[in-house]
Amino acid sequence: MKQQTAQTRTKRGTPDFQLLILTLLLVGFGLVMVFSSSSSIAIASESFKNDALYFTKKQLMWAMIGLVGMFFAMNIRFNKYKKLYAPFFLFTTALLLIVLVTGAVLNGARSWIRIFGFSLQPAEFAKIAIILYLSALITKKGERFRDFKTGYFPVLFIVGFIAGLIMLQPDFGTCFILVSTCGLVIYAGGANMKHILGSILLVALGGALAFGASALFSSMSPDTPALDSTTTVTAEQNYKIGRIQAFLDPESDINGGSLNLYRSLVAIGDGGITGSGIGQGTMKLHYLPNAYNDFIFSVIGEELGFIGSALFLLVYLYFIWRGIIVSLRCPDPFGTLVGIGIMGLIAIQAFINIGGVTQTIPVTGVTLPFISYGGTSLFVMMVAMGIVLSISRTNNLEAIKEEKTKSVTVQTRTSPALRSRDSIRRVR
């Protein structure tokens, strides 16, 4: 049995254990921080059954489901995803259409749908579906991908269609992450730089027009007071303008649109160099909204301080770097594009989350991968890492084959029979 198991592992390759351990470490650290940031809120609220572990137990349940999904995805040969991407993409598109009709509204966005008793966010599945779809399509087109009509435009149309469905919810943060990730995959796939720059200008122009139209309609609304030199536009009147105003001046409206960012900066500042210790933070005590979700990095900054936050970021960066290395080593362009897309997705989303709560960029309200509370996000990210680990298994298998080939070549050249034949030939 042991010999058969060893042969099976050799045929399938071993996963990159550094990447696997780092993934599990991030998930474990996320569970600790979810408990630390949510326990005081949950125990004081009847809505959460006065249970300090209310959010932690839910996150742990999704972590276990995600662990099963990750190992399942890891044990599928990554080249089989070339066949699975189409039904998965169609299924995800159907969910995005369904959520617009029957989805639950939360924070002004219709992003959630209930399936078999679980609340799911289809936009999270769309991130992986679009990466698989684009990677397969770009690989299939090959050199034709550099042609605008037959290669680039069909890809651009697919991205625009999915991004449009997400914007209808509306969910600007997720849409921006998806478009940015798709741009990375398209660039890595060898697209013409003129086409890419043209697309960036088009997206920027469209975003500016949409933002201007939104501000115009908001100012024309009868519920919105006329603006003058003394009127402050709050997040309730126009949350987009409110977030930009908060980014430019966090103290401009600390009781309105700037509340979240202002208290986030206070929490990080209170952490100092060493932090107050895990579980000892005070800003999460009904002061910092969404402390266990969008602003969980603020809790990390307060409780672990500069040193702990820097260590966490270094581990996170090494995790992303390791995933990119695994992707670049893949002998199949499809695997390389999928791996770069997944690791790029994690890096972009982490940057937007951390950048928002530290006033580096405007707040967009997205989760920190593997760390923030959110079942769908955690499950999708763990399954995505299962795909990257599947790619690493193929890499290790190819490395084993190369070593065996070299070994056989060396043995053949140095074998006594071969040496005797060579000596006979030289004598003749």
Side-chain angles (χ1 to χ4, degrees), residues 34 45 90-91 113 158 179 250 290 304 343 368 400 423 425:
V34 166
S45 175
L90 292 175
F91 173 73
I113 187 173
I158 294 168
V179 172
N290 299 318
L304 300 183
M343 300 313 300
L368 181 58
I400 292 173
S423 61
R425 288 172 184 170

Side-chain angles (χ1 to χ4, degrees), residues 17 38 43 95 129 140 154 176 210 213 215 221 223 227 293 331 336 340 359 374 395 427:
F17 288 108
S38 66
I43 200 171
L95 290 180
K140 184 178 180 180
F176 181 80
S221 173
D223 297 329
L227 299 180
N293 198 310
T336 299
I340 289 177
Q359 202 191 352
N395 297 348
V427 170

Side-chain angles (χ1 to χ4, degrees), residues 291-365:
Y292 51 86
N293 198 310
D294 300 346
F295 288 87
I296 197 168
F297 185 77
S298 305
V299 179
I300 294 174
E302 182 183 10
E303 297 187 350
L304 300 183
F306 174 78
I307 296 176
S309 300
L311 181 61
F312 165 72
L313 291 176
L314 287 175
V315 172
Y316 215 110
L317 287 173
Y318 181 75
F319 163 75
I320 294 171
W321 175 84
R322 187 68 188 178
I324 293 175
I325 293 299
V326 167
S327 304
L328 293 176
R329 288 176 179 173
C330 183
D332 190 330
F334 172 75
T336 299
L337 290 179
V338 171
I340 289 177
I342 290 173
M343 300 313 300
L345 166 66
I346 296 172
I348 291 169
Q349 186 163 329
F351 171 76
I352 291 176
N353 175 273
I354 297 173
V357 303
T358 57
Q359 202 191 352
T360 305
I361 59 175
V363 176
T364 55

Side-chain angles (χ1 to χ4, degrees), residues 72-83:
F72 180 77
M74 186 178 70
N75 282 283
I76 298 177
R77 290 185 180 275
F78 85 91
N79 51 14
K80 290 186 178 180
Y81 290 105
K82 289 182 180 180
K83 299 178 180 179

Side-chain angles (χ1 to χ4, degrees), residues 256-424:
S258 304
L259 173 67
N260 293 357
L261 179 58
Y262 177 77
R263 291 184 177 177
S264 171
L265 296 176
V266 171
I268 295 173
D270 288 347
I273 300 297
T274 58
S276 60
I278 293 181
Q280 303 301 314
T282 57
M283 289 302 296
K284 65 188 179 184
L285 304 176
H286 305 279
Y287 293 105
L288 182 63
N290 299 318
Y292 51 86
N293 198 310
D294 300 346
F295 288 87
I296 197 168
F297 185 77
S298 305
V299 179
I300 294 174
E302 182 183 10
E303 297 187 350
L304 300 183
F306 174 78
I307 296 176
S309 300
L311 181 61
F312 165 72
L313 291 176
L314 287 175
V315 172
Y316 215 110
L317 287 173
Y318 181 75
F319 163 75
I320 294 171
W321 175 84
R322 187 68 188 178
I324 293 175
I325 293 299
V326 167
S327 304
L328 293 176
R329 288 176 179 173
C330 183
D332 190 330
F334 172 75
T336 299
L337 290 179
V338 171
I340 289 177
I342 290 173
M343 300 313 300
L345 166 66
I346 296 172
I348 291 169
Q349 186 163 329
F351 171 76
I352 291 176
N353 175 273
I354 297 173
V357 303
T358 57
Q359 202 191 352
T360 305
I361 59 175
V363 176
T364 55
V366 299
T367 59
L368 181 58
F370 304 105
I371 309 299
S372 296
Y373 173 78
T376 308
S377 175
L378 180 61
F379 173 76
V380 170
M381 289 298 175
M382 293 186 73
V383 171
M385 287 311 303
I387 297 175
V388 179
L389 290 169
S390 174
I391 295 172
S392 73
R393 298 186 72 171
T394 301
N395 297 348
N396 292 333
L397 179 60
E398 293 296 325
I400 292 173
K401 288 181 179 179
E402 289 182 5
E403 290 181 2
K404 286 185 176 181
T405 302
K406 291 180 181 179
S407 177
V408 170
T409 304
V410 172
Q411 290 178 3
T412 303
R413 290 177 177 175
T414 58
S415 64
L418 183 61
R419 288 201 304 268
S420 62
R421 289 197 199 101
D422 290 341
S423 61
I424 292 173

Side-chain angles (χ1 to χ4, degrees), residues 165-220:
L165 291 179
I166 295 175
M167 278 301 295
L168 289 175
Q169 296 179 7
D171 188 347
F172 176 78
T174 300
C175 181
F176 181 80
I177 293 170
L178 183 138
V179 172
S180 301
T181 303
C182 291
L184 179 62
V185 174
I186 290 171
Y187 173 77
N192 192 314
M193 283 302 300
K194 292 181 180 179
H195 299 162
I196 294 177
L197 292 175
S199 301
I200 293 174
L201 291 176
L202 184 63
V203 170
L205 178 61
L209 291 175
F211 180 81
S214 175
L216 177 64
F217 288 131
S218 177
S219 63
M220 295 173 61

Side-chain angles (χ1 to χ4, degrees), residues 102-232:
T102 63
V105 179
L106 182 64
N107 295 329
R110 193 181 295 273
S111 304
W112 298 88
I113 187 173
R114 290 191 65 82
I115 300 178
F116 303 119
F118 292 96
S119 294
L120 302 178
Q121 193 172 6
E124 293 294 330
F125 292 97
K127 296 174 183 177
I128 305 303
I130 195 70
I131 290 173
L132 292 174
Y133 193 96
L134 288 184
S135 300
L137 193 61
I138 292 172
T139 305
K140 184 178 180 180
K141 287 182 178 295
E143 288 298 323
R144 292 187 294 118
F145 177 56
R146 294 182 62 82
D147 181 73
F148 182 79
K149 291 183 178 179
T150 61
Y152 187 79
F153 180 75
V155 171
L156 194 66
F157 175 80
I158 294 168
V159 174
F161 175 69
I162 298 299
L165 291 179
I166 295 175
M167 278 301 295
L168 289 175
Q169 296 179 7
D171 188 347
F172 176 78
T174 300
C175 181
F176 181 80
I177 293 170
L178 183 138
V179 172
S180 301
T181 303
C182 291
L184 179 62
V185 174
I186 290 171
Y187 173 77
N192 192 314
M193 283 302 300
K194 292 181 180 179
H195 299 162
I196 294 177
L197 292 175
S199 301
I200 293 174
L201 291 176
L202 184 63
V203 170
L205 178 61
L209 291 175
F211 180 81
S214 175
L216 177 64
F217 288 131
S218 177
S219 63
M220 295 173 61
S221 173
D223 297 329
T224 304
L227 299 180
D228 54 32
S229 59
T230 61
T231 303
T232 301

